[in-house]
Amino acid sequence: MDNFVDERDYKLLEADKYTFLVLRRIIDTECSLLLTDHERLIICFTGSPYPVWIWTADGSTREEYEFAYRIVMEKGLLNREHKFNVKYELAEYFIKRAAEDNQKLTITMNLFAYDCPKAIPPSSRVSGCIEVCTEKDVEELIIFLDRFHEEVQVDRKSIEEYREDAEKYAATGRFYFWIDDQNRKIASCQYAPTGDMASINMVYTQKAHRRKHYAENLVYQVTKIVEDAGYTPMLYTNADYAASNVCYEKIGYVLRGKLCTLG
């Protein structure tokens, strides 16, 4: 296994470009662990609190799954502190194999991957407008980041770490709020480009303003911005949140792939 990627790995991930778009982005960054055979297996871990991404080729054998399991075990990642984003076939093998070692692994989240061939305007309009996040909004953005990660229970950090993220996001010009007619920040959303695609994430609505279509309108507007910039919009959702998935489908998102989080 090599600890560098090249064109062979990019070609492998192209076949799973929806479900593994984040992996495609992070393999080019500084990682705590990066291993690949350039053919059947890629393992990437940027560092805590983020999950370990494991890409396996479709139709992998039991021996290949065992090889992946052994690497994860040897690297100390099966210590009850890490989660793994994987295909369902690998998840099934890991769950059974971990049980043999008296460890319990379970699927903690089912994920859908969507893209948007053509954005459809929301049928429900709301008051207010979209506004890009800037340096002056960092303090409020920290609150959004804290509440979002606390609610979804993933990638949680300290306030100091959220501040670093907020400053970085504000500097990109790709983080947005929905501002209501009383100048309150109601919802948030950002996008991150990777190749010819851009993932939309950090979709969050303040609790007092949910079920009023703010997120739907904000995601639509950001989707249009992504389209106009020449990218194909995509996003991940929790497959068990039916209401939000219907919301995305209404504005043009189409289900393209499935994976799961193992923990």
Side-chain angles (χ1 to χ4, degrees):
M1 297 287 283
D2 291 330
N3 57 8
F4 63 86
V5 296
D6 56 29
E7 290 303 319
R8 292 172 292 177
D9 301 282
Y10 303 144
K11 186 175 181 180
L12 292 175
L13 294 176
E14 181 64 22
D16 287 308
K17 65 180 181 179
Y18 297 105
T19 48
F20 285 88
L21 182 69
V22 169
L23 176 57
R24 172 61 182 84
R25 181 168 70 245
I26 64 178
I27 60 174
D28 289 326
T29 64
E30 183 177 349
C31 300
S32 297
L33 175 67
L34 176 61
L35 294 170
T36 175
D37 64 1
H38 312 292
E39 293 182 357
R40 308 286 293 177
L41 176 65
I42 304 172
I43 300 175
C44 182
F45 176 48
T46 54
S48 296
Y50 301 110
V52 180
W53 284 83
I54 306 177
W55 176 88
T56 46
D58 290 339
S60 291
T61 64
R62 183 183 183 281
E63 289 72 23
E64 289 173 321
Y65 289 149
E66 176 65 17
F67 181 59
Y69 180 85
R70 283 294 172 188
I71 291 177
V72 168
M73 175 69 79
E74 292 168 4
K75 296 298 181 181
L77 298 174
L78 286 174
N79 61 358
R80 303 173 186 247
E81 295 180 4
H82 296 90
K83 294 185 178 182
F84 307 87
N85 284 344
V86 299
K87 296 179 179 179
Y88 280 95
E89 294 80 7
L90 182 62
E92 181 180 358
Y93 183 86
F94 268 37
I95 290 170
K96 292 179 179 178
R97 185 64 181 81
E100 295 175 8
D101 290 335
N102 296 315
Q103 295 203 57
K104 183 178 181 180
L105 285 174
T106 59
I107 293 175
T108 61
M109 187 181 299
N110 297 289
L111 296 169
F112 282 167
Y114 287 85
D115 81 342
C116 186
K118 182 65 177 179
I120 301 172
S123 57
S124 301
R125 300 301 178 90
V126 297
S127 62
C129 62
I130 186 174
E131 183 177 289
V132 67
C133 174
T134 65
E135 183 180 354
K136 66 177 175 57
D137 303 308
V138 164
E139 295 302 322
E140 287 180 279
L141 177 50
I142 292 170
I143 295 172
F144 268 80
L145 294 176
D146 186 28
R147 290 177 178 174
F148 171 82
H149 290 291
E150 179 65 26
E151 185 164 314
V152 300
Q153 293 290 295
V154 297
D155 304 344
R156 287 181 291 174
K157 300 181 181 180
S158 67
I159 293 298
E160 291 74 20
E161 290 172 314
Y162 287 141
R163 181 177 300 280
E164 292 179 8
D165 288 344
E167 292 173 350
K168 178 181 66 177
Y169 296 155
T172 66
R174 298 194 298 264
F175 200 106
Y176 297 88
F177 291 113
W178 189 268
I179 310 296
D180 71 2
D181 52 10
Q182 297 181 49
N183 203 36
R184 297 175 300 184
K185 292 177 175 61
I186 301 298
S188 68
C189 177
Q190 73 167 341
Y191 74 91
T194 301
D196 62 353
M197 302 183 72
S199 59
I200 291 176
N201 55 66
M202 267 300 302
V203 179
Y204 179 79
T205 304
Q206 301 275 23
K207 287 185 177 181
H209 303 284
R210 292 179 183 175
R211 301 185 185 278
K212 299 177 182 178
H213 308 287
Y214 288 111
E216 181 180 344
N217 279 264
L218 177 56
V219 172
Y220 168 74
Q221 292 289 347
V222 175
T223 298
K224 288 294 296 177
I225 291 170
V226 169
E227 284 183 341
D228 293 344
Y231 300 108
T232 298
M234 72 84 60
L235 51 78
Y236 294 100
T237 71
N238 185 328
D240 299 320
Y241 287 175
S244 62
N245 294 334
V246 169
C247 164
Y248 297 133
E249 291 167 3
K250 284 182 178 179
I251 58 175
Y253 280 85
V254 178
L255 180 62
R256 299 297 189 186
K258 302 177 182 179
L259 71 161
C260 63
T261 300
L262 194 63

